[in-house]
């Protein structure tokens, strides 16, 4: 049972890492397109989303 829980946790953690990477890349794309001028703004949005 412990192994199954650990595996589920690892899977969830990997999925979150992928999501964060994709959000950061999307933020960088927004900066390139001129939609966001400051990378800190992108990071602040991510921090608010994942801090709770």
């Amino acid at each position: 049972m412990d192994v199954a829980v650990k595996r589920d946790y690892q899977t969830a953690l990997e999925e979150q890492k992928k999501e964060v990477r994709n959000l950061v890349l999307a933020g960088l794309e927004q900066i390139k397109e001129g939609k966001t001028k400051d990378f800190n703004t992108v990071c602040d949005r991510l921090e608010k989303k994942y801090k709770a």
Side-chain angles (χ1 to χ4, degrees):
M1 179 88 157
D2 189 41
V3 174
V5 171
K6 194 177 281 188
R7 190 175 306 136
D8 288 343
Y9 175 77
Q10 280 299 111
T11 301
L13 187 61
E14 289 301 316
E15 288 299 316
Q16 281 186 335
K17 285 180 182 181
K18 287 179 189 176
E19 186 178 350
V20 169
R21 266 186 245 121
N22 287 335
L23 290 169
V24 169
L25 291 173
L28 289 172
E29 192 62 35
Q30 287 177 356
I31 291 169
K32 287 179 187 176
E33 293 172 358
K35 294 180 181 175
T36 302
K37 292 184 170 77
D38 187 9
F39 189 68
N40 287 332
T41 303
V42 174
C43 291
D44 288 343
R45 282 188 295 196
L46 289 172
E47 191 172 350
K48 283 179 188 175
K49 182 175 182 176
Y50 286 98
K51 205 167 197 174

